[in-house]
Amino acid sequence: MLKAFARLVAGGKPKTSCPNLPPELIGHAQRRETAPLVHWLSEALKRSGDAPELPALLDVVRQAGWHEHDVVKLTVAAAHRAGRWGLLLEWAAATFDGANYRDADLCLMAAQALYELNRIDEAEQAMSAALSRFPSLAERADGLRLAAAIAYAVNRIETAHGWIAQLRRQFPQQADNGLSLSICFEFGDESAVDEILRALTAAPAGDAMDEIACAVVALAREDYAAGFARFEKRFALADATKFVNGALFDRPRWHGEPLAGRSVLVAAEQGLGDTVMMARYLPLLREKGAGAVMLEAQGEAAPLLQASFPDVAVVERRMGAVPSAPTFDLWVGMMSLPHLFGTTAETVPARAGYLRVPQESAAYWRQRVAELAPPGRPRIGLCWSGRRIHRADRRRSLPVEAAFAHLASLPAVFFAVQKEVPQQHPPNLIDVADELVTLADTAALIEAMDLVVTIDSAPAHLAGALGKECWLMLPYRYEWRWGISGEKNRWYDAVRIFRQGRQGDWGTVLQQVFAARLPAWIAERGR
């Protein structure tokens, strides 16, 4: 379908225009008035995946004498406005023979589409090429903002901060937005953070991304009441359905009122770690009077969550489809539960021990670990990298060489508690990735460990929720849930945090964990 559209956009002999097009739209086309055409076509794209009105519109603009390059730019701009990123790239490809590279707007829109599709390496290359070919993009607010967003995603925080500083100098009236706030906060520019927060708070209700950025800063500063309240704005994000099942949006949502025997469906949001973290709230729904509680969760998490909460009906999440059974009266997103239960930094419930590994999984992994690990040595679960599709993965994951550098010299057996393990790894690192089929397997393996050392990924949440001692290695100013400073956190008693003191400084963290703390921990256990 997309390739057929690309051929359509690329041109051809005009056909008879559709009589159903509004007369005023034909007038806009004849007068070469781009803005109303972009608006009309973008709304058509939002209504229908294949925009059936498009062929007629293209006939009209071609009959009005539009240049083919302008036809492509019209359609690409409409796809951009509608957030149809894959379609945008398909249409823009019609002129990738060179014409689009003479157009700064097309270059910028293509780079943003790659970014929005999490094709971050390609987005970085496209943005670099665009800035090289069109230096004027660095004098535009939208160019500076996208350059900052892409630099942020590829973990060039200083570069991102530089772009934001330039944006704030050149366009002070446009610089107080969520992206500026996020980058300044993670760079540690507190004066800028406070200034942007004041501006955003004083302004009329802003867009959802601004609210989310304010929420994240408040949460990182442990103002949970304000942070979680503002975080409710996430349902208004253009890409909200990437993180929560959009098929539920037309159904009645729970807003914290007494449930009075009604059944409630809790919808998992974002990643597996978020699901594990928020599962602690499931038993509290009964206290609000729920007659029945259901959980719509990722398929790989379902066995673990069902074993942990036998009174909750766990169903597999299928994005775009409402669960057919069991039925429910209301639904709620998992990340709304802290807000609806009035959570503060001092009242986070169930800080350990709320997960239960299925008995069969626990028995299997106890035996498996005993088979693989020589007796008398500590068993340490290790996770050094997350999923590459995660937009912040370059920040949170360790360089594999650095992660493995100290292992062979330590008198311990390490088990990889992640799914991707390189073939070349230290001899005392055991790869059981093929056996980690569901989250219950990973949880059972973690439960059989003496310690878990991990980056910010699902194993950190599993260890914390199981009450297993866990050392968490964090980038500088990373993830609101872990706070800003100190070794402790508000969500898991069992998790100790080792933080970068400055952006990108993994060396100090690895030295502290593997060269200092871990040898001392192993020696203490041997006494």
Side-chain angles (χ1 to χ4, degrees):
M1 177 64 75
L2 289 181
K3 290 182 179 179
F5 270 126
R7 289 194 295 272
L8 178 66
V9 173
K13 293 182 179 180
K15 304 177 182 62
T16 304
S17 60
C18 175
N20 295 327
L21 288 179
E24 64 271 19
L25 197 70
I26 297 173
H28 291 313
Q30 292 170 341
R31 293 189 296 272
R32 308 288 186 92
E33 294 170 348
T34 304
L37 296 179
V38 168
H39 173 73
W40 183 87
L41 180 54
S42 69
E43 292 302 310
L45 289 170
K46 290 176 184 177
R47 289 192 302 270
S48 172
D50 56 4
E53 308 93 334
L54 178 61
L57 177 62
L58 296 187
D59 281 349
V60 168
V61 298
R62 288 190 174 111
Q63 289 170 11
W66 286 47
H67 189 280
E68 284 302 318
H69 177 77
D70 295 327
V71 175
V72 172
K73 193 167 180 179
L74 165 68
T75 56
V76 169
H80 181 273
R81 182 166 179 164
R84 297 292 305 280
W85 307 114
L87 199 58
L88 186 159
L89 290 176
E90 193 79 24
W91 285 348
T95 54
F96 269 11
D97 57 358
N100 68 314
Y101 291 120
R102 294 194 296 272
D103 190 300
D105 292 329
L106 277 175
C107 281
L108 199 63
M109 287 189 284
Q112 183 176 355
L114 291 166
Y115 169 79
E116 298 290 349
L117 292 168
N118 284 338
R119 293 162 61 176
I120 302 300
D121 291 340
E122 294 172 82
E124 182 183 26
Q125 294 170 7
M127 193 68 211
S128 177
L131 287 167
S132 176
R133 188 174 293 267
F134 303 106
S136 61
L137 286 174
E139 299 172 5
R140 291 170 43 170
D142 55 352
L144 290 168
R145 197 171 286 120
L146 182 59
I150 292 172
Y152 186 41
V154 298
N155 197 23
R156 302 187 194 281
I157 305 300
E158 290 193 12
T159 300
H161 186 261
W163 289 123
I164 289 298
Q166 188 172 338
L167 177 69
R168 299 183 73 231
R169 286 194 303 269
Q170 294 180 212
F171 303 94
Q173 73 281 8
Q174 298 186 45
D176 294 327
N177 58 32
L179 178 65
S180 298
L181 179 60
S182 298
I183 291 174
C184 289
F185 179 74
E186 295 198 11
F187 188 76
D189 189 346
E190 292 297 335
S191 61
V193 167
D194 292 335
E195 180 185 337
I196 296 170
L197 274 173
R198 283 193 297 270
L200 290 175
T201 302
D207 73 16
M209 282 304 301
D210 292 350
E211 283 292 302
I212 298 303
C214 292
V216 167
V217 171
L219 291 168
R221 291 175 167 180
E222 299 188 346
D223 182 358
Y224 286 180
F228 281 121
R230 298 187 91 153
F231 202 59
E232 289 297 283
K233 197 74 172 181
R234 69 194 181 280
F235 293 110
L237 291 173
D239 60 352
T241 55
K242 287 170 60 176
F243 307 106
V244 64
N245 187 355
L248 299 170
F249 285 13
D250 292 333
R251 302 290 294 270
R253 188 149 60 100
W254 181 53
H255 295 284
E257 69 276 13
L259 288 165
R262 288 176 292 179
S263 56
V264 60
L265 172 73
V266 181
E269 300 185 52
Q270 304 181 48
L272 290 168
D274 303 279
T275 300
V276 170
M277 178 179 174
M278 293 301 157
R280 70 186 72 212
Y281 286 95
L282 293 172
L284 303 184
L285 288 163
R286 292 285 189 180
E287 298 176 14
K288 286 283 189 178
V293 180
M294 285 136 277
L295 172 63
E296 179 196 57
Q298 300 92 332
E300 61 189 294
L304 174 63
L305 294 169
Q306 190 63 82
S308 300
F309 304 100
D311 293 336
V312 174
V314 181
V315 297
E316 182 175 352
R317 180 176 69 183
R318 299 189 183 280
M319 298 298 252
V322 176
S324 56
T327 58
F328 59 94
D329 300 309
L330 302 166
W331 75 277
V332 62
M334 284 193 96
M335 298 299 291
S336 292
L337 295 176
H339 169 60
L340 298 177
F341 283 101
T343 302
T344 68
E346 290 73 31
T347 63
V348 174
R351 293 166 58 94
Y354 60 87
L355 285 189
R356 295 288 181 271
V357 176
Q359 291 184 359
E360 183 178 350
S361 298
Y364 172 84
W365 280 103
R366 279 195 300 269
Q367 180 178 347
R368 189 79 177 107
V369 168
E371 292 171 354
L372 294 171
R377 289 196 168 191
R379 297 155 177 177
I380 301 172
L382 181 66
C383 173
W384 61 91
S385 66
R387 296 184 179 183
R388 290 286 294 175
I389 196 172
H390 192 292
R391 192 169 285 176
D393 192 61
R394 292 196 185 193
R395 292 194 65 206
R396 65 174 180 171
S397 290
L398 294 167
V400 66
E401 298 84 0
F404 291 169
H406 296 277
L407 299 192
S409 63
L410 290 168
V413 180
F414 293 88
F415 282 79
V417 291
Q418 63 177 62
K419 290 190 175 180
E420 294 184 6
V421 181
Q423 287 188 343
Q424 300 298 320
H425 55 262
N428 60 336
L429 174 65
I430 296 177
D431 174 11
V432 288
D434 290 345
E435 299 175 56
L436 300 177
V437 179
T438 72
L439 208 61
D441 292 308
T442 306
L445 175 58
I446 285 172
E447 193 171 59
M449 297 292 101
D450 298 307
L451 170 70
V452 173
V453 178
T454 179
I455 61 157
D456 182 40
S457 191
H461 294 278
L462 289 171
L466 290 165
K468 178 65 61 178
E469 185 178 3
C470 175
W471 295 0
L472 173 61
M473 300 175 288
L474 286 186
Y476 180 74
R477 288 294 182 96
Y478 180 82
E479 271 291 354
W480 59 264
R481 71 200 76 209
W482 307 119
I484 298 173
S485 61
E487 291 192 359
K488 294 184 178 181
N489 72 97
R490 299 288 188 172
W491 294 89
Y492 301 108
D493 290 335
V495 175
R496 175 184 295 179
I497 300 173
F498 298 84
R499 306 174 191 268
Q500 288 182 355
R502 63 182 187 277
Q503 290 290 351
D505 183 18
W506 278 123
T508 300
V509 173
L510 292 170
Q511 183 72 17
Q512 185 180 19
V513 170
F514 289 102
R517 294 286 189 97
L518 203 48
W521 180 89
I522 293 171
E524 181 66 26
R525 288 186 63 83
R527 291 179 184 174

